[in-house]
Amino acid sequence: MDKLNFKNYRIEAENICVDYHGKVALYDANLRLKAGQICGLVGMNGAGKTTFFNALTGFVNISKGKIRINGESLKIAQQDQTIAYVPQIEGIDSQFPVSVWDVVMMGRYGSMNILRSPRESDIQAVKDAIERVDLMELSSIPIGNLSGGQRKRTFLARAIAQRASILLLDEPFAGVDIRTEKLISELFIQFKNEGKTILLSTHDMIHVREFCDLVLLINKTVVAYGETSEVFTPENITSTFGGMSPDVLFGPES
Amino acid sequence: MDLCFLSTNITSFVADPLSHEFMRKALLMSSLVAAVCGFLSSYLTLKGWALMGDAVSHSVMPGVVVAYALGLPFSLGAFVFGVGSVALIGFVKQKSRVKEDTVIGLVFTGFFALGIVLISKIKSNIDLHSILFGSPLGISLSDVKQTVLISLLVVILLSVFRKDLILYCFDPRHAKTVGINVLFLHYLLLTCLSLAAVVGLQSVGLVLVVAMLITPGATAYLLTDNFDNMTIISVISAIISSIIGIYFSFWFDLETGGSIVLVQTFIFLFTFLFAPRYGIFKFKKIIF
């Protein structure tokens, strides 16, 4: 891509590598996403999906390659609250003594003063976000008392309150109830219309077909990347999952 | 008549020790130390840093000895070695295949042993017993000043960065994503831990200071689902334990540090059994 086009990409990851104490978790990975695109991140457990997210949020340092967010460095993206990360439900301490409201307010911390004292606008943003995920009546409840789906919605609300333009979602549909699944699906369509860029990891092949414009198949590195209709083929999926037949993964009709 | 006798007894139980200056000082200082440790305790228990607390409190030992020998404030030596030990733990963990808990155990026992050897070698008026088991009844004026200053510093730091520290304990990845300096918060919490270990050392001694740093927080965690309430309960239970512990130690001639920690442990046990929601015998709803 030439320099002029550079700014057009929300996310631009170029040949990134991540290693943990000498063990390679991800190498030569590339990704380019524009505004309004939804991309599915598909791979086995240990294929480097969470590592990819960690690299894009800056939670781990990349050992090689380059990440640009809106054409700027990751540090600027962090300061500008550009990226929101919605964790897997298992990845958080559900017994931590905080309420739904507290968690959603954490989405505003990055743009508050040092004491993190909420302004009127922060309170309004939190209210709006909680309303959008339909948890208003539970806003003072400790997160330990929520169901898995309600907890997932809480963290989605945090990302909404943050007003991020890039959403990274780790297994958004894992372990949630039907109502939450429906609500998340509707939100995805709204996010897309608002021009947000979404990268989501999932095990569910049906969700990829349903929501994702693009798909990124990884197994330590990129196996295939492109439009879902072109790239999401049984052959590619088989090689992503180390030779396992796609029939096993999502039924014979595919 | 009987009732009158009883009430006189209780009054003298409470009032008699207060007629001694060293007891008034011990009660005040230990309450202050307990409050600071209790405040920090709610962060440490949620962060899962109990072992880290143990490591840091043991590692400050050579620092205290060296500082005494050089005539520096002992808090400075303790601080350097406390933070140093954690840096070393991080370094060894990263550069070797040895598991983290092994590295923690290895480093802090090494520092502790160094401290003991130093005490036996350096001619000074440091009393090994008072370092190991505390000496709240024999606190000097300069110790009082230092304790008050350090306590204030820790309370101010924990208050100013309260929300960031909660977020750091809860979800460091989100903190990083929104541009909050996670490394700074990590060392801030470590610094507070080292400083609290130093002040706690005077009250209950190096061996038991980790109890001051985790037991009140663990007790509070069983009683509430709200972080602010958890901190308040933690601080109150720590202060009460200190006061009761010192009274018992006065009247029954017990080792003061052990007595304070034992009261904390009993309060925890009682909570563990009878906490309304998270106790073994559950009672209806949560209080807070």
Side-chain angles (χ1 to χ4, degrees):
Chain A
M1 282 293 139
D2 59 311
K3 288 263 186 244
L4 279 174
N5 268 336
F6 206 58
K7 274 251 168 199
N8 290 340
Y9 288 104
R10 274 274 170 74
I11 302 177
E12 168 124 1
E14 213 173 284
N15 294 322
I16 58 168
C17 298
V18 177
D19 52 303
Y20 300 109
H21 316 315
K23 270 190 195 151
V24 176
L26 191 70
Y27 65 93
D28 293 336
N30 291 284
L31 174 69
R32 279 177 178 152
L33 289 178
K34 292 181 178 174
Q37 285 183 325
I38 301 182
C39 178
L41 182 58
V42 178
M44 288 189 290
N45 286 330
K49 287 176 289 181
T50 303
T51 301
F52 210 128
F53 284 135
N54 284 344
L56 289 175
T57 55
F59 194 63
V60 298
N61 290 324
I62 50 174
S63 52
K64 255 199 282 181
K66 204 165 75 177
I67 294 174
R68 296 256 134 192
I69 305 293
N70 290 326
E72 306 273 9
S73 72
L74 210 49
K75 203 171 169 56
I76 289 174
Q78 289 172 345
Q79 283 162 4
D80 292 349
Q81 313 298 305
T82 310
I83 304 172
Y85 178 77
V86 181
Q88 249 179 296
I89 302 175
E90 298 80 39
I92 49 148
D93 177 7
S94 65
Q95 294 303 306
F96 205 94
V98 283
S99 68
V100 171
W101 181 274
D102 296 335
V103 173
V104 179
M105 188 57 90
M106 287 173 184
R108 305 294 310 157
Y109 280 12
S111 47
M112 287 181 186
N113 64 16
I114 191 78
L115 290 170
R116 315 294 174 205
S117 35
R119 296 153 293 192
E120 199 52 50
S121 60
D122 296 315
I123 291 167
Q124 196 54 48
V126 170
K127 257 188 207 159
D128 292 346
I130 294 178
E131 249 157 37
R132 273 183 85 176
V133 299
D134 203 13
L135 282 177
M136 211 54 203
E137 70 276 21
L138 296 177
S139 68
S140 61
I141 298 286
I143 57 162
N145 297 0
L146 300 175
S147 72
Q150 290 164 340
R151 218 170 284 148
K152 192 94 224 177
R153 273 143 63 192
T154 304
F155 283 88
L156 255 173
R158 183 176 73 180
I160 295 171
Q162 191 187 322
R163 308 236 164 93
S165 55
I166 297 172
L167 299 175
L168 308 177
L169 302 105
D170 204 347
E171 296 287 349
F173 295 106
V176 304
D177 49 285
I178 305 273
R179 180 171 169 220
T180 300
E181 189 173 329
K182 192 163 168 282
L183 193 134
I184 294 178
S185 312
E186 286 164 8
L187 280 173
F188 278 176
I189 294 161
Q190 292 170 23
F191 291 157
K192 194 178 160 65
N193 292 336
E194 290 164 19
K196 292 188 194 298
T197 303
I198 299 175
L199 180 65
L200 63 101
S201 72
T202 180
H203 274 100
D204 195 324
M205 306 296 158
I206 295 158
H207 287 133
V208 176
R209 294 193 186 284
E210 212 171 315
F211 306 108
C212 302
D213 314 306
L214 296 158
V215 65
L216 180 69
L217 295 165
I218 64 166
N219 189 7
K220 304 268 183 200
T221 188
V222 177
V223 176
Y225 173 57
E227 303 259 334
T228 306
S229 53
E230 288 168 27
V231 171
F232 208 53
T233 60
E235 295 76 39
N236 278 339
I237 293 163
T238 304
S239 61
T240 306
F241 284 86
M244 207 193 288
S245 153
D247 291 2
V248 184
L249 298 162
F250 55 104
E253 74 274 19
S254 305
Chain B
M1 179 75 180
D2 269 343
L3 204 69
C4 184
F5 179 71
L6 191 70
S7 79
T8 329
N9 251 353
I10 289 175
T11 316
S12 74
F13 183 90
V14 175
D16 281 5
L18 293 177
S19 62
H20 304 281
E21 219 234 302
F22 72 92
M23 276 300 284
R24 288 199 297 270
K25 207 156 72 181
L27 282 166
L28 259 172
M29 293 319 290
S30 292
S31 299
L32 178 65
V33 167
V36 172
C37 291
F39 195 4
L40 184 60
S41 180
S42 45
Y43 297 94
L44 296 183
T45 41
L46 289 172
K47 184 72 192 155
W49 268 14
L51 192 56
M52 200 71 110
D54 205 18
V56 168
S57 57
H58 278 78
S59 301
V60 300
M61 172 107 163
V64 172
V65 181
V66 170
Y68 262 121
L70 297 177
L72 297 165
F74 67 88
S75 56
L76 186 71
F79 173 71
V80 169
F81 276 78
V83 173
S85 72
V86 175
L88 195 61
I89 288 169
F91 180 76
V92 175
K93 194 188 92 186
Q94 206 164 44
K95 296 291 174 191
S96 78
R97 58 182 295 196
V98 184
K99 289 202 173 77
E100 186 177 21
D101 62 332
T102 311
V103 178
I104 292 176
L106 204 142
V107 169
F108 91 70
T109 48
F111 273 70
F112 190 47
L114 177 67
I116 292 177
V117 169
L118 282 178
I119 283 192
S120 70
K121 213 56 204 164
I122 294 175
K123 291 274 169 282
S124 71
N125 56 351
I126 310 172
D127 176 18
L128 180 63
H129 186 271
S130 77
I131 289 193
L132 292 182
F133 303 110
S135 57
L137 306 185
I139 287 180
S140 72
L141 189 65
S142 72
D143 289 348
V144 170
K145 273 189 200 154
Q146 244 185 77
T147 304
V148 171
L149 272 176
I150 296 175
S151 301
L152 266 176
L153 181 64
V154 173
V155 169
I156 289 171
L157 285 175
L158 289 180
S159 306
V160 169
F161 294 101
R162 178 173 182 70
K163 288 187 172 169
D164 282 19
L165 285 169
I166 295 172
L167 174 57
Y168 168 63
C169 294
F170 177 59
D171 192 353
R173 195 195 320 241
H174 173 71
K176 181 86 191 175
T177 309
V178 296
I180 291 170
N181 193 336
V182 176
L183 199 67
F184 166 74
L185 294 173
H186 179 83
Y187 279 100
L188 178 71
L189 200 55
L190 269 180
T191 303
C192 290
L193 172 57
S194 299
L195 293 175
V198 177
V199 293
L201 202 144
Q202 297 183 338
S203 173
V204 298
L206 192 150
V207 178
L208 289 175
V209 71
V210 67
M212 302 279 283
L213 293 169
I214 57 176
T215 312
T219 302
Y221 186 49
L222 291 178
L223 288 170
T224 176
D225 274 322
N226 175 297
F227 195 92
D228 292 336
N229 291 337
M230 185 172 160
T231 306
I232 293 167
I233 297 171
S234 179
V235 168
I236 290 174
S237 89
I239 293 175
I240 290 175
S241 305
S242 267
I243 293 172
I244 296 178
I246 288 176
Y247 267 103
F248 273 115
S249 119
F250 179 86
W251 283 110
F252 304 110
D253 195 21
L254 308 171
E255 185 76 54
T256 316
S259 171
I260 292 173
V261 172
L262 210 54
V263 175
Q264 286 189 342
T265 310
F266 274 117
I267 293 179
F268 174 80
L269 274 178
F270 185 79
T271 315
F272 171 68
L273 292 174
F274 302 112
R277 188 190 168 103
Y278 297 114
I280 294 279
F281 307 108
K282 291 176 184 61
F283 294 112
K284 289 184 287 179
K285 281 206 75 182
I286 198 146
I287 331 176
F288 298 100

